[in-house]
Amino acid sequence: MMKVFLALTSVLLSLAAARPTCPKKPTPSTSATTSAYGSATTTPSTNATNATATPAAGGYSNSTSGTRLATGWYPGWGADKFSPSQIPWDKYSALTYAFAVTTPDDSFFKISDDPSVLTEFVSQAHAHNVKALVSIGGYTGSRYFSSSVSTPENRTAFATALMDFATKNQLDGLDFEYAMDFIPLDSHILTYIPIAESTRTSREVRQKAPKDFQLTAAVAMTPFNGPDGKPMSDVSSFAQVLNHIAIMAYDVYGTWSETGAGPNAPIQDTCAPTQKQLGSCASAVKAWSDAGIPANQLVLGVPAYGRSYTVASSAVGGYAQKLAEYPTFDKNLVPLGTGETRTQTKDECGVEQGPGGIFNYNDMVARGFIDSQGNAGSGLTYQFDNCSQTAYIYNSTSQVLINYDTADTYKAKGNFIKEQNLAGFAMWSIDTDTADGTLAGAIRSTM
């Protein structure tokens, strides 16, 4: 299933535990110009055919060049199919390798895949004048974060290890990935590290880093939870030590949803029915800004994948009518997405893993579901939703409905970044864009 990102600042804000925890992982054209929900048209397809961001006041510049950031994550485990040499480097100003993982030893990190891939990644990045970062943590790789920041001694060892790792691998920065949703192992008691101690940890890492070193984090759509389990109202101290945070503004709807099949990564949802407003790019940016992170230190996370559902033809509508809004779907029959099978396994955290219905954008193109711009392939019903500014395609034979971001969606998100004066974008994940970076190019063209 698709890894659900949440982040390292979360680490520093994180849950201190008697022993390590595992994060929770859920089961898994025409540009829209109006916000009236449902005003898009539905037709059967017959073919398959750079502004600047103001530097952050009192904090860190969001990029070394002064231009908006074009970044994303490169998953090292996919190097056999998409090597660092195949990355369209001209589309990016910085890229992050995923992942290095935490261990029970606070002074040691390890690459989760072949270390030689990281070496090539850094070499290729520098050869193309692109900043190279490594993401620390990720799903199951975050297990020991809480213990690493639970005492002053552990925090010092943790910070020292981070910088030793960065120096050894000639990195330009570190990105922190820690899942705020978690499943406790057995019944141990979890406690929260106070925000002041979290900030001290961040500052200790920053103090050990070179002047131009990048410290970033990927975060959920709402600010870090406090001891009461609710989003905190003030996280402004992190703006003083992090260059930026990337809001993972996706996975809003999925096969776990109780309100029907909906948009994976909506730009806006205020035009949707109230009970369907589960989060959007706009609400996420507002939440983090209200909590004290300047807009110009916020990076918009964007997905290069779609989420699918099994929806009966009677629920979704047909060629002669508009696709139904938020149709009901069969939770017991999750479509097999890219590389997925029906095999059920349990990961090291005891979480059962099965298909998540995730379709990579480039796989959708390769299968003829869409063309490179996101327009529907032959015989599929297509609808662009002007509310979320995302697209749906539906196959009436397989009864599979997929929601995804098109090139037009990415252009709209680029405009949103510019209008909100955000720092830039971060794509999960760059290997699932087309080989020549269609989506990355689309968002860069408007932001």
Side-chain angles (χ1 to χ4, degrees), residues 127-396:
H128 292 87
N129 198 31
V130 173
K131 299 295 184 184
L133 292 79
V134 165
S135 183
I136 309 293
Y139 183 66
T140 72
S142 303
R143 296 186 69 199
Y144 300 96
F145 265 141
S146 56
S147 60
S148 294
V149 298
S150 60
T151 69
E153 294 78 15
N154 287 2
R155 288 194 292 273
T156 296
F158 176 72
T160 300
L162 283 171
M163 293 316 304
D164 287 347
F165 176 81
T167 301
K168 175 184 176 181
N169 291 285
Q170 301 182 329
L171 302 178
D172 302 300
L174 293 170
D175 176 60
F176 301 114
E177 303 283 348
Y178 182 74
M180 288 286 287
D181 289 334
F182 61 91
I183 294 178
L185 298 182
D186 301 327
S187 58
H188 64 278
I189 298 173
L190 299 171
T191 58
Y192 281 83
I193 297 175
I195 186 71
E197 292 185 21
S198 301
T199 307
R200 290 190 196 105
T201 307
S202 303
R203 291 188 190 284
E204 187 165 352
V205 176
R206 172 58 73 187
Q207 288 166 1
K208 294 178 182 293
K211 180 180 178 182
D212 295 330
F213 196 78
Q214 303 284 298
L215 285 180
T216 69
V219 300
M221 294 176 69
T222 55
F224 313 124
N225 288 341
D228 60 357
K230 298 179 180 178
M232 300 178 68
S233 61
D234 186 359
V235 295
S236 58
S237 58
F238 288 94
Q240 303 304 312
V241 289
L242 295 174
N243 292 77
H244 70 257
I245 63 174
I247 302 174
M248 297 177 290
Y250 35 78
D251 299 332
V252 174
Y253 277 82
T255 53
W256 60 87
S257 300
E258 299 295 335
T259 55
N264 178 39
I267 296 179
Q268 182 60 269
D269 67 353
T270 55
C271 38
T274 302
Q275 69 274 22
K276 310 294 186 182
Q277 297 176 17
L278 304 185
S280 66
C281 298
S283 68
V285 167
K286 184 178 187 303
W288 282 98
S289 296
D290 289 349
I293 304 297
N296 53 26
Q297 283 181 267
L298 295 175
V299 167
L300 185 67
V302 290
Y305 63 90
R307 285 196 171 274
S308 66
Y309 311 83
T310 298
V311 180
S313 298
S314 58
V316 80
Y319 287 169
Q321 63 187 91
K322 179 173 66 68
L323 291 175
E325 300 169 6
Y326 303 96
T328 57
F329 62 92
D330 187 347
K331 288 190 175 183
N332 296 317
L333 187 58
V334 177
L336 293 179
T338 302
E340 294 180 341
T341 68
R342 293 287 175 205
T343 303
Q344 293 285 332
T345 60
K346 287 188 177 181
D347 63 24
E348 62 185 278
C349 296
V351 180
E352 192 170 82
Q353 305 294 317
I358 304 298
F359 284 93
N360 295 344
Y361 189 86
N362 55 8
D363 183 42
M364 293 172 66
V365 174
R367 296 195 198 193
F369 295 173
I370 57 175
D371 66 17
S372 64
Q373 298 299 307
N375 302 305
S378 179
L380 300 179
T381 303
Y382 172 87
Q383 179 170 298
F384 193 90
D385 172 24
N386 287 332
C387 179
S388 66
Q389 301 211 8
T390 64
Y392 292 87
I393 54 173
Y394 181 68
N395 185 319
S396 59

Side-chain angles (χ1 to χ4, degrees), residues 2-3 5-6 71-79 82 84 87 89 95-102 110-115 117-119 121-122 132-139 141-142 165 171 173-177 218 248 250 427-431:
M2 173 63 60
K3 156 193 165 300
F5 277 107
L6 293 167
T71 187
W73 292 271
Y74 172 80
W77 61 85
F82 186 71
I87 295 172
W89 291 101
L95 283 179
T96 301
Y97 181 99
F99 295 99
V101 300
T102 58
K110 65 180 181 180
I111 295 298
S112 57
D113 302 287
D114 182 354
V117 178
L118 173 60
T119 301
F121 172 82
V122 174
L133 292 79
V134 165
S135 183
I136 309 293
Y139 183 66
S142 303
F165 176 81
L171 302 178
L174 293 170
D175 176 60
F176 301 114
E177 303 283 348
M248 297 177 290
Y250 35 78
M427 182 188 295
W428 179 260
S429 58
I430 67 165
D431 61 318

